[in-house]
Amino acid sequence: MARWKALPDELDPRVAEFVGQLRLLVDRSGLGVAAVADRTGYSRTSWERYLNAGLLAPKGAVVALAEVTGASPVHLATMWELAERAWSRSEMRHDTTMEAIRISRARAALGELGALGAEPEDARPVGVGVGVGAGSGEGFARRKRGLVLLLVGVVGVLVGVGVWFTRGGGEEDVAGTPKKPVVSASPRQALPSGVKCAGASCAGKDPETMGCSGRLATTATSVTVGGALVEVRYSETCGAAWARVTRAGVGDRVEVSADGAGGASVKQSAVVGTDVNTYTPMVVVRGAGEARACVTLGSGETGCTG
């Protein structure tokens, strides 16, 4: 039996129960993590993260594990849905806490700068008879106050940008016309931990490798063709979608398409090999409804979502 690492104490009980169930299935199957990876089509590194609660396993991996171990996919999928909601709430609380810490530190920095900007009484010129010394003291004080004001302005801008990202941006003005969001000089800093792309930079990339799958992805629509299930997977965070097929046969082909710039269709595809689950690279979309997934079986039967 595998020796698992102790789960973090702060882990939500529903997530801990779900991860414990995954570990139990692996132990009962007699398979090692490497064998589970080979049979499910998800990498060994990914499974190590899933089984140690470093990352919530995507639903496709859970279904694949159920098939490999002979467990009930329905029961396991229900546990996954509860764990996913708990995981998402935990991430939101973490993001809110970190933002509060950043704002608190910024306010503390403002207080320290304000204290530095206040001149002690005995350091100020006493009279005009001081001559050059008075002028030098006043010049120094002006320069110091100018530096303080500059630093205060910089900190204020940083706090404002942080609050804008926390609220989601896009506020409306008095006339009801949406304001254009301010583009950060480094947009990737605003992405959740582990996410490596957003928008156009995700085109043609692997959703799992780029961190767009798992808890950040949802099934927008799906259809069963023959014995295969094909889904449109969508990540609002990454602004991208991809197609995933399960229970397919070797040689079956899965494809995702969406309208690109100028109305031209953009497509990505993948051919099923020995993996239980196969998914395509990503296409960039503005919403979940823009993508369409199709599968072509070895028998020639074809079916598409929506």
Side-chain angles (χ1 to χ4, degrees), residues 150-161:
L150 175 61
L151 292 175
V152 168
V154 171
V155 173
V157 170
L158 292 176
V159 172
V161 171

Side-chain angles (χ1 to χ4, degrees), residues 157-277:
V157 170
L158 292 176
V159 172
V161 171
V163 172
W164 187 90
F165 277 116
T166 301
R167 294 180 178 176
E171 297 178 355
E172 295 187 353
D173 60 15
V174 177
T177 302
K179 294 180 180 178
K180 293 182 179 179
V182 178
V183 179
S184 169
S186 182
R188 298 182 69 174
Q189 293 180 0
L191 296 175
S193 175
V195 178
K196 302 176 183 177
C197 72
S201 61
C202 290
K205 302 292 181 60
D206 185 305
E208 184 173 347
T209 301
M210 303 308 290
C212 298
S213 60
R215 65 178 182 82
L216 296 180
T218 58
T219 295
T221 183
S222 64
V223 66
T224 300
V225 181
L229 172 66
V230 63
E231 306 165 85
V232 171
R233 296 287 287 170
Y234 169 68
S235 171
E236 182 178 3
T237 300
C238 295
W242 60 97
R244 182 178 68 185
V245 64
T246 54
R247 305 194 299 270
V250 176
D252 293 348
R253 182 183 182 85
V254 60
E255 179 182 273
V256 64
S257 60
D259 290 336
S265 180
V266 179
K267 299 180 179 180
Q268 295 288 349
S269 62
V271 176
V272 179
T274 57
D275 294 344
V276 176
N277 303 294

